[in-house]
Amino acid sequence: MRFFALYSAIVLVTGISLLAEVDNNPLSVGNTQSRNALGRTIEATSHNPALLGVERAPRGGMAFPLSNLGVGAWSDKLALSPFNRYWVDSLKEGSALTTKILKKSFDLEGLTPDEVSDKLTKELAGGVRAYTGLRSSLINYAWKRFAFDITTHFDEEVHIPEGPLYMIFSSDKGLLRGNTLDFSDFRQDAIWATDFTFHLGLPVTIPALHNFFKLRYGAGGLGVKYVMGHSVLKATTERGKLTYNESTNELEVDGEVKVQTAGFGFHGPWKLDNPFKQVGLPISGHGIGVDLGGILYDNHGTMVINVQNL
């Protein structure tokens, strides 16, 4: 009896771990490697279209609207975390949020102000990169060999040069006499788009591959994706420097920033209007993509090949 209880607990924990495991592919937030290899057919549009051709996979299904939501934040140096409650702290006081992030990122506890400045000067050399993204499946439906999905997604990546950071946090490389702060490598990229995906999968038999890999069954899939672009922002600094003029007691900025924007209310004198004000959801660009997939499998193993967003 004890053995049966222990065995049941192991099976339960293993099953939960397979369902809750975080995928290391940012395009498949919220799903697992175990499931997207031979998973549910409704995952074909977000993973491998060949899932529709696998005989033993469930032949249909529908995800609840807005239930498949993924949000991510990443930085090469800053410890960004959703548990920092950015949306709450930023409403209270921006400086408190900045202090909280810096303390978590660079272990500043117990240091004197001079030591904090020295450590931040060292750590922030070369600038900081940060990424934020969000994806949500609005409609996801699969039936037999066909699947359809509508997903909207937003992605933004920014690189902040060391110059502006030194101005704020460094006591010896900031705006002192003779120092010139460079910000010529600033860049920002952001895009918001909605994808309409149509996938078809079928059982496939290729004797040479089955014999070589010793896997009995096979499936292949093809997906066509229409991309409806809502907005894009691309900003880069062609040249830029900031110096302190001691004789005039003024900050002198010399730079050139190239900005390209489309959609989402960015027009005219940089006025952000309500995008739903006149024409509803703006469509500022169109694109097309292709997904390809193949699976070889049997009761002993699985081999998967997958090409997305070609």
Side-chain angles (χ1 to χ4, degrees):
M1 191 69 179
R2 290 182 178 179
F3 173 80
F4 178 76
L6 178 60
Y7 176 79
S8 301
I10 293 175
V11 171
L12 179 62
V13 171
T14 303
I16 293 176
S17 67
L18 290 176
L19 293 175
E21 180 187 3
V22 177
D23 191 351
N24 57 14
N25 181 356
L27 289 175
S28 49
V29 173
N31 293 284
T32 71
Q33 295 285 17
S34 302
R35 285 166 58 206
N36 64 38
L38 279 176
R40 301 174 301 178
T41 52
I42 58 173
E43 295 175 342
T45 53
S46 56
H47 296 299
N48 193 333
L51 291 175
L52 298 167
V54 175
E55 292 292 354
R56 67 188 189 192
R59 298 298 298 277
M62 182 175 67
F64 189 81
L66 300 178
S67 63
N68 187 2
L69 175 67
V71 181
W74 170 90
S75 174
D76 59 343
K77 295 182 179 180
L78 301 179
L80 303 180
S81 168
F83 299 104
N84 282 343
R85 300 192 306 167
Y86 299 126
W87 56 90
V88 176
D89 294 337
S90 59
L91 294 176
K92 295 178 181 178
E93 186 180 356
S95 60
L97 174 61
T98 302
T99 301
K100 186 175 182 179
I101 294 176
L102 291 176
K103 285 184 176 180
K104 284 181 173 291
S105 305
F106 306 120
D107 190 20
L108 304 178
E109 295 292 343
L111 300 183
T112 66
D114 289 339
E115 291 173 336
V116 169
S117 175
D118 292 341
K119 188 160 189 176
L120 290 180
T121 300
K122 178 182 178 181
E123 298 288 352
L124 297 176
V128 171
R129 286 194 302 153
Y131 162 84
T132 57
L134 180 148
R135 354 181 7 104
S136 177
S137 180
L138 307 179
I139 298 176
N140 186 301
Y141 177 78
W143 179 249
K144 295 186 177 180
R145 303 302 186 188
F146 173 80
F148 173 68
D149 177 83
I150 300 178
T151 293
T152 188
H153 54 94
F154 172 81
D155 297 275
E156 179 181 23
E157 185 169 0
V158 61
H159 176 261
I160 303 175
E162 62 185 32
L165 300 175
Y166 283 165
M167 180 178 64
I168 301 173
F169 302 113
S170 179
S171 60
D172 59 342
K173 291 190 177 182
L175 282 176
L176 303 177
R177 180 186 303 173
N179 286 357
T180 298
L181 303 182
D182 178 69
F183 59 92
S184 58
D185 55 347
F186 168 83
R187 63 183 180 274
Q188 181 180 14
D189 293 277
I191 187 171
W192 173 34
T194 299
D195 300 342
F196 294 76
T197 304
F198 304 85
H199 276 183
L200 176 67
L202 295 170
V204 175
T205 300
I206 305 177
L209 292 180
H210 293 303
N211 293 334
F212 182 80
F213 291 104
K214 307 302 180 183
L215 297 171
R216 181 177 179 183
Y217 306 104
L222 170 67
V224 178
K225 183 174 298 182
Y226 162 62
V227 183
M228 183 171 66
H230 305 301
S231 67
V232 64
L233 168 65
K234 183 177 179 63
T236 56
T237 303
E238 302 287 327
R239 56 184 176 83
K241 64 179 181 179
L242 178 65
T243 57
Y244 170 64
N245 190 326
E246 187 179 11
S247 61
T248 60
N249 194 30
E250 294 178 344
L251 296 179
E252 296 181 352
V253 181
D254 181 18
E256 180 180 348
V257 180
K258 182 179 180 181
V259 180
Q260 296 171 290
T261 66
F264 196 41
F266 287 110
H267 63 275
W270 272 89
K271 182 179 181 182
L272 179 57
D273 289 337
N274 181 357
F276 304 97
K277 185 176 181 181
Q278 295 177 346
V279 296
L281 192 64
I283 304 176
S284 302
H286 306 270
I288 191 169
V290 175
D291 297 338
L292 300 171
I295 296 176
L296 295 175
Y297 67 98
D298 61 13
N299 292 331
H300 305 290
T302 302
M303 189 182 76
V304 178
I305 183 170
N306 188 16
V307 178
Q308 289 189 324
N309 300 324
L310 183 64

